[in-house]
Amino acid sequence: MCVTCGCGGDNNHAHEHSHSHHSGDHHHEHTHVINLEAEILAENNQFAAQNRAFFKDKKSLALNFVSSPGSGKTTLLEETIKRLSGQHPIYVVEGDQHTELDANRIRSAGAEAYQIQTGKACHLDGHMVGHALEHLNIVDDSFVFIENVGNLICPALFDLGEQAKVVLISITEGEDKPLKYPDMFFGADLVIITKLDLLPYLKFDLAACEANIHKISPRGKIIQLSSTTGAGFDEWIKWLHAAKNYLS
Ligand SMILES: Nc1nc2c(ncn2[C@@H]2O[C@H](COP(=O)(O)OP(=O)(O)OP(=O)(O)O)[C@@H](O)[C@H]2O)c(=O)[nH]1
Ligand SMILES: [Mg+2]
């Protein structure tokens, strides 16, 4: 888990605490770390609840996009912004360890974006997203897309206050990923299988991938698409409008 591996910026004290207090007593160290982990997640849930109340107040739909690095999150958002422009305002919160690259891509595609640089942390949390929202002048009836740090493990733990979680898996990653990273796929409201245009070049078993997703997430809906060809986008845009109607 993220907190115990010590990769979370502010959360690094989890390790220091556990070692300084009870050095030599492994059981105590363990208990201490687990307590800290629970505290950190409880604190996160409070920030997430504030964000959720903010989205509700703004009658807006917030989605948390998660995947491995490079599965096509930013490309999907660029193509989505082009298709939704003129309908609802769109705001994007970008999360990466370093750089403003993805926020700049979003701005070029035509939406307002705020980039969070997480530094040593490998996920967004509710507190970071709350601050990002202060920098965006979000009006009523908007879409708020939050692109998480590319990582299939740690972001699964942190509620950001979104109404739905969208997990991307590109077909170059292999059909076994839902089984290997079940926490992420278990929490998915929608799984998007991306880069479908590459299917002829790969030994990728689409049916097996869908079966693996359903094993972990029986209620999760699946959409297949390609941001390169535009295949599957009608279904995706339809899902977005339905989610906006039901969830915001
Ligand atoms: N062939 C093909 N390539 C794609 C598609 N979508 C994205 N790509 C390519 O995949 C690479 C990564 O895409 P990004 O959109 O940057 O991926 P990401 O998930 O935002 O990456 P991180 O933010 O770094 O985690 C880029 O070279 C894209 O052009 C697609 O549908 N088909
Ligand atoms: Mg990206």
Short mmCIF file of all heavy atoms in Angstrom, two decimals, residues 73-75 77-78 81 90-117 132 136 145-148:
data_model
loop_
_atom_site.label_atom_id
_atom_site.label_comp_id
_atom_site.label_asym_id
_atom_site.label_seq_id
_atom_site.Cartn_x
_atom_site.Cartn_y
_atom_site.Cartn_z
N LYS A 73 -5.03 8.57 -21.11
CA LYS A 73 -5.96 9.43 -20.37
C LYS A 73 -6.03 10.84 -20.98
O LYS A 73 -7.12 11.35 -21.26
CB LYS A 73 -5.55 9.54 -18.89
CG LYS A 73 -5.54 8.21 -18.14
CD LYS A 73 -5.11 8.37 -16.69
CE LYS A 73 -3.66 8.76 -16.49
NZ LYS A 73 -2.66 7.80 -17.01
N THR A 74 -4.87 11.45 -21.17
CA THR A 74 -4.87 12.83 -21.66
C THR A 74 -5.39 12.88 -23.09
O THR A 74 -6.15 13.79 -23.46
CB THR A 74 -3.45 13.43 -21.58
OG1 THR A 74 -2.93 13.19 -20.27
CG2 THR A 74 -3.47 14.94 -21.83
N THR A 75 -5.02 11.90 -23.90
CA THR A 75 -5.51 11.86 -25.28
C THR A 75 -7.03 11.72 -25.31
O THR A 75 -7.72 12.41 -26.08
CB THR A 75 -4.86 10.68 -26.06
OG1 THR A 75 -3.46 10.71 -25.84
CG2 THR A 75 -5.14 10.78 -27.54
N LEU A 77 -9.06 12.73 -23.00
CA LEU A 77 -9.62 14.01 -22.56
C LEU A 77 -9.54 15.05 -23.68
O LEU A 77 -10.50 15.80 -23.90
CB LEU A 77 -8.89 14.52 -21.31
CG LEU A 77 -9.14 13.68 -20.04
CD1 LEU A 77 -8.33 14.21 -18.87
CD2 LEU A 77 -10.63 13.66 -19.69
N GLU A 78 -8.44 15.09 -24.41
CA GLU A 78 -8.32 16.05 -25.53
C GLU A 78 -9.44 15.82 -26.54
O GLU A 78 -10.10 16.76 -26.99
CB GLU A 78 -6.96 15.87 -26.24
CG GLU A 78 -5.76 16.32 -25.41
CD GLU A 78 -4.44 15.92 -26.07
OE1 GLU A 78 -4.25 14.74 -26.41
OE2 GLU A 78 -3.59 16.81 -26.24
N ILE A 81 -12.88 16.78 -25.07
CA ILE A 81 -13.08 18.24 -25.01
C ILE A 81 -13.52 18.75 -26.37
O ILE A 81 -14.44 19.57 -26.47
CB ILE A 81 -11.77 18.93 -24.54
CG1 ILE A 81 -11.55 18.63 -23.05
CG2 ILE A 81 -11.80 20.43 -24.80
CD1 ILE A 81 -10.13 18.87 -22.57
N ILE A 90 -16.00 22.75 -19.38
CA ILE A 90 -15.16 21.62 -18.95
C ILE A 90 -13.92 22.15 -18.23
O ILE A 90 -13.27 23.07 -18.72
CB ILE A 90 -14.69 20.78 -20.17
CG1 ILE A 90 -15.90 20.29 -20.97
CG2 ILE A 90 -13.83 19.61 -19.73
CD1 ILE A 90 -15.52 19.71 -22.32
N TYR A 91 -13.63 21.56 -17.09
CA TYR A 91 -12.43 21.91 -16.33
C TYR A 91 -11.65 20.62 -16.07
O TYR A 91 -12.25 19.58 -15.82
CB TYR A 91 -12.82 22.53 -14.98
CG TYR A 91 -13.67 23.76 -15.14
CD1 TYR A 91 -15.07 23.64 -15.23
CD2 TYR A 91 -13.11 25.02 -15.23
CE1 TYR A 91 -15.87 24.76 -15.40
CE2 TYR A 91 -13.90 26.16 -15.39
CZ TYR A 91 -15.28 26.01 -15.48
OH TYR A 91 -16.06 27.12 -15.65
N VAL A 92 -10.34 20.72 -16.15
CA VAL A 92 -9.52 19.53 -15.94
C VAL A 92 -8.50 19.79 -14.84
O VAL A 92 -7.78 20.79 -14.87
CB VAL A 92 -8.80 19.12 -17.25
CG1 VAL A 92 -7.93 17.89 -17.01
CG2 VAL A 92 -9.82 18.84 -18.35
N VAL A 93 -8.45 18.88 -13.87
CA VAL A 93 -7.39 18.88 -12.86
C VAL A 93 -6.41 17.79 -13.28
O VAL A 93 -6.81 16.63 -13.43
CB VAL A 93 -7.95 18.61 -11.45
CG1 VAL A 93 -6.81 18.50 -10.44
CG2 VAL A 93 -8.94 19.69 -11.05
N GLU A 94 -5.16 18.17 -13.50
CA GLU A 94 -4.15 17.21 -13.95
C GLU A 94 -3.24 16.83 -12.80
O GLU A 94 -2.79 17.71 -12.05
CB GLU A 94 -3.29 17.84 -15.06
CG GLU A 94 -3.95 17.83 -16.44
CD GLU A 94 -4.09 16.42 -16.98
OE1 GLU A 94 -3.42 15.50 -16.46
OE2 GLU A 94 -4.87 16.24 -17.94
N GLY A 95 -2.93 15.55 -12.67
CA GLY A 95 -1.97 15.10 -11.65
C GLY A 95 -0.82 14.36 -12.29
O GLY A 95 -1.03 13.39 -13.03
N ASP A 96 0.38 14.85 -12.06
CA ASP A 96 1.58 14.13 -12.50
C ASP A 96 2.65 14.35 -11.44
O ASP A 96 2.60 15.32 -10.68
CB ASP A 96 2.10 14.69 -13.84
CG ASP A 96 1.29 14.17 -15.02
OD1 ASP A 96 1.32 12.94 -15.26
OD2 ASP A 96 0.64 14.98 -15.68
N GLN A 97 3.63 13.47 -11.42
CA GLN A 97 4.72 13.66 -10.46
C GLN A 97 5.47 14.97 -10.76
O GLN A 97 5.77 15.75 -9.87
CB GLN A 97 5.68 12.47 -10.50
CG GLN A 97 6.71 12.53 -9.39
CD GLN A 97 7.73 11.43 -9.47
OE1 GLN A 97 7.85 10.71 -10.47
NE2 GLN A 97 8.51 11.29 -8.42
N HIS A 98 5.74 15.18 -12.05
CA HIS A 98 6.41 16.41 -12.47
C HIS A 98 5.84 16.89 -13.80
O HIS A 98 5.24 16.11 -14.53
CB HIS A 98 7.92 16.17 -12.65
CG HIS A 98 8.65 16.18 -11.35
ND1 HIS A 98 8.85 17.34 -10.60
CD2 HIS A 98 9.23 15.18 -10.65
CE1 HIS A 98 9.52 17.02 -9.50
NE2 HIS A 98 9.75 15.73 -9.50
N THR A 99 6.08 18.13 -14.11
CA THR A 99 5.78 18.83 -15.37
C THR A 99 4.34 19.34 -15.46
O THR A 99 3.44 18.85 -14.78
CB THR A 99 6.06 18.02 -16.66
OG1 THR A 99 4.98 17.12 -16.91
CG2 THR A 99 7.40 17.34 -16.64
N GLU A 100 4.20 20.30 -16.37
CA GLU A 100 2.92 20.95 -16.67
C GLU A 100 2.45 20.45 -18.06
O GLU A 100 1.53 20.99 -18.65
CB GLU A 100 3.20 22.46 -16.71
CG GLU A 100 2.03 23.40 -16.89
CD GLU A 100 1.43 23.92 -15.58
OE1 GLU A 100 2.01 23.68 -14.50
OE2 GLU A 100 0.36 24.54 -15.65
N LEU A 101 3.09 19.39 -18.57
CA LEU A 101 2.85 18.96 -19.96
C LEU A 101 1.39 18.63 -20.24
O LEU A 101 0.83 19.08 -21.24
CB LEU A 101 3.72 17.72 -20.28
CG LEU A 101 5.23 17.96 -20.38
CD1 LEU A 101 5.99 16.64 -20.41
CD2 LEU A 101 5.54 18.78 -21.63
N ASP A 102 0.76 17.86 -19.36
CA ASP A 102 -0.61 17.43 -19.64
C ASP A 102 -1.58 18.60 -19.55
O ASP A 102 -2.49 18.73 -20.38
CB ASP A 102 -1.03 16.29 -18.69
CG ASP A 102 -0.49 14.94 -19.15
OD1 ASP A 102 0.26 14.92 -20.15
OD2 ASP A 102 -0.83 13.92 -18.53
N ALA A 103 -1.38 19.50 -18.56
CA ALA A 103 -2.27 20.67 -18.45
C ALA A 103 -2.16 21.52 -19.72
O ALA A 103 -3.16 22.03 -20.23
CB ALA A 103 -1.91 21.49 -17.22
N ASN A 104 -0.94 21.65 -20.25
CA ASN A 104 -0.78 22.43 -21.49
C ASN A 104 -1.50 21.78 -22.67
O ASN A 104 -2.08 22.47 -23.51
CB ASN A 104 0.71 22.62 -21.80
CG ASN A 104 1.36 23.63 -20.86
OD1 ASN A 104 0.67 24.51 -20.31
ND2 ASN A 104 2.65 23.50 -20.64
N ARG A 105 -1.46 20.45 -22.72
CA ARG A 105 -2.19 19.76 -23.80
C ARG A 105 -3.68 20.04 -23.68
O ARG A 105 -4.36 20.26 -24.68
CB ARG A 105 -1.92 18.24 -23.72
CG ARG A 105 -0.54 17.85 -24.22
CD ARG A 105 -0.23 16.38 -23.93
NE ARG A 105 -1.16 15.44 -24.56
CZ ARG A 105 -1.12 14.12 -24.35
NH1 ARG A 105 -0.21 13.60 -23.55
NH2 ARG A 105 -1.99 13.34 -24.97
N ILE A 106 -4.19 20.01 -22.45
CA ILE A 106 -5.63 20.25 -22.23
C ILE A 106 -5.99 21.68 -22.64
O ILE A 106 -7.03 21.92 -23.28
CB ILE A 106 -5.98 20.00 -20.74
CG1 ILE A 106 -5.78 18.53 -20.37
CG2 ILE A 106 -7.40 20.47 -20.43
CD1 ILE A 106 -6.65 17.55 -21.13
N ARG A 107 -5.13 22.65 -22.27
CA ARG A 107 -5.41 24.05 -22.64
C ARG A 107 -5.42 24.19 -24.16
O ARG A 107 -6.29 24.88 -24.72
CB ARG A 107 -4.35 24.98 -22.03
CG ARG A 107 -4.49 25.07 -20.52
CD ARG A 107 -3.40 25.93 -19.87
NE ARG A 107 -3.43 25.72 -18.43
CZ ARG A 107 -2.39 25.33 -17.69
NH1 ARG A 107 -1.20 25.14 -18.25
NH2 ARG A 107 -2.52 25.14 -16.39
N SER A 108 -4.50 23.52 -24.84
CA SER A 108 -4.48 23.59 -26.32
C SER A 108 -5.74 22.98 -26.90
O SER A 108 -6.20 23.39 -27.97
CB SER A 108 -3.27 22.83 -26.88
OG SER A 108 -2.10 23.41 -26.39
N ALA A 109 -6.30 21.99 -26.21
CA ALA A 109 -7.54 21.36 -26.70
C ALA A 109 -8.75 22.24 -26.43
O ALA A 109 -9.84 21.98 -26.95
CB ALA A 109 -7.71 19.98 -26.07
N GLY A 110 -8.59 23.25 -25.57
CA GLY A 110 -9.67 24.22 -25.40
C GLY A 110 -10.37 24.24 -24.05
O GLY A 110 -11.44 24.81 -23.92
N ALA A 111 -9.77 23.62 -23.02
CA ALA A 111 -10.41 23.66 -21.70
C ALA A 111 -9.46 24.27 -20.68
O ALA A 111 -8.24 24.28 -20.87
CB ALA A 111 -10.83 22.26 -21.26
N GLU A 112 -10.06 24.79 -19.59
CA GLU A 112 -9.26 25.33 -18.50
C GLU A 112 -8.65 24.17 -17.73
O GLU A 112 -9.33 23.16 -17.49
CB GLU A 112 -10.18 26.14 -17.59
CG GLU A 112 -9.53 27.37 -16.98
CD GLU A 112 -10.48 28.14 -16.08
OE1 GLU A 112 -11.57 28.54 -16.57
OE2 GLU A 112 -10.16 28.31 -14.91
N ALA A 113 -7.38 24.28 -17.35
CA ALA A 113 -6.73 23.17 -16.64
C ALA A 113 -5.87 23.69 -15.51
O ALA A 113 -5.31 24.78 -15.59
CB ALA A 113 -5.87 22.36 -17.61
N TYR A 114 -5.78 22.91 -14.45
CA TYR A 114 -4.85 23.21 -13.36
C TYR A 114 -3.99 21.98 -13.13
O TYR A 114 -4.50 20.86 -12.98
CB TYR A 114 -5.61 23.57 -12.07
CG TYR A 114 -4.66 23.94 -10.97
CD1 TYR A 114 -4.11 25.22 -10.90
CD2 TYR A 114 -4.27 23.00 -10.00
CE1 TYR A 114 -3.19 25.56 -9.91
CE2 TYR A 114 -3.35 23.34 -9.01
CZ TYR A 114 -2.82 24.62 -8.97
OH TYR A 114 -1.92 24.96 -8.00
N GLN A 115 -2.68 22.17 -13.14
CA GLN A 115 -1.76 21.05 -12.98
C GLN A 115 -1.31 20.91 -11.53
O GLN A 115 -0.80 21.88 -10.94
CB GLN A 115 -0.52 21.26 -13.86
CG GLN A 115 0.55 20.17 -13.75
CD GLN A 115 0.20 18.93 -14.57
OE1 GLN A 115 -0.15 19.03 -15.74
NE2 GLN A 115 0.31 17.75 -13.94
N ILE A 116 -1.50 19.75 -10.95
CA ILE A 116 -0.91 19.42 -9.65
C ILE A 116 0.36 18.62 -9.91
O ILE A 116 0.33 17.64 -10.66
CB ILE A 116 -1.87 18.56 -8.79
CG1 ILE A 116 -3.17 19.30 -8.51
CG2 ILE A 116 -1.20 18.14 -7.49
CD1 ILE A 116 -4.25 18.42 -7.86
N GLN A 117 1.47 19.05 -9.31
CA GLN A 117 2.70 18.26 -9.39
C GLN A 117 2.91 17.63 -8.01
O GLN A 117 3.09 18.33 -7.02
CB GLN A 117 3.89 19.14 -9.79
CG GLN A 117 3.72 19.68 -11.21
CD GLN A 117 4.94 20.42 -11.73
OE1 GLN A 117 6.06 20.07 -11.38
NE2 GLN A 117 4.71 21.42 -12.56
N ALA A 132 -6.73 22.58 -5.90
CA ALA A 132 -6.80 22.80 -7.35
C ALA A 132 -8.13 23.44 -7.72
O ALA A 132 -8.18 24.35 -8.57
CB ALA A 132 -6.63 21.47 -8.09
N LEU A 136 -9.65 27.10 -10.15
CA LEU A 136 -10.50 27.05 -11.35
C LEU A 136 -11.81 27.76 -11.04
O LEU A 136 -12.40 27.51 -9.99
CB LEU A 136 -10.77 25.59 -11.75
CG LEU A 136 -9.54 24.76 -12.13
CD1 LEU A 136 -9.89 23.28 -12.16
CD2 LEU A 136 -8.99 25.21 -13.49
N PHE A 145 -13.04 17.01 -14.97
CA PHE A 145 -12.30 15.77 -15.21
C PHE A 145 -10.99 15.83 -14.42
O PHE A 145 -10.21 16.76 -14.57
CB PHE A 145 -12.00 15.61 -16.70
CG PHE A 145 -13.23 15.51 -17.57
CD1 PHE A 145 -13.25 16.09 -18.84
CD2 PHE A 145 -14.37 14.83 -17.14
CE1 PHE A 145 -14.39 15.99 -19.65
CE2 PHE A 145 -15.50 14.72 -17.95
CZ PHE A 145 -15.50 15.31 -19.21
N ILE A 146 -10.78 14.83 -13.58
CA ILE A 146 -9.55 14.78 -12.78
C ILE A 146 -8.69 13.65 -13.32
O ILE A 146 -9.08 12.48 -13.24
CB ILE A 146 -9.87 14.53 -11.29
CG1 ILE A 146 -10.88 15.58 -10.78
CG2 ILE A 146 -8.59 14.55 -10.46
CD1 ILE A 146 -11.52 15.22 -9.44
N GLU A 147 -7.55 13.98 -13.92
CA GLU A 147 -6.64 12.93 -14.40
C GLU A 147 -5.63 12.63 -13.32
O GLU A 147 -4.78 13.45 -12.98
CB GLU A 147 -5.92 13.36 -15.69
CG GLU A 147 -4.98 12.24 -16.16
CD GLU A 147 -4.19 12.55 -17.42
OE1 GLU A 147 -4.55 13.46 -18.18
OE2 GLU A 147 -3.16 11.86 -17.61
N ASN A 148 -5.73 11.44 -12.77
CA ASN A 148 -4.85 11.04 -11.67
C ASN A 148 -3.44 10.72 -12.19
O ASN A 148 -3.23 10.59 -13.40
CB ASN A 148 -5.43 9.81 -10.97
CG ASN A 148 -5.26 9.87 -9.46
OD1 ASN A 148 -4.16 10.13 -8.98
ND2 ASN A 148 -6.33 9.63 -8.74
#
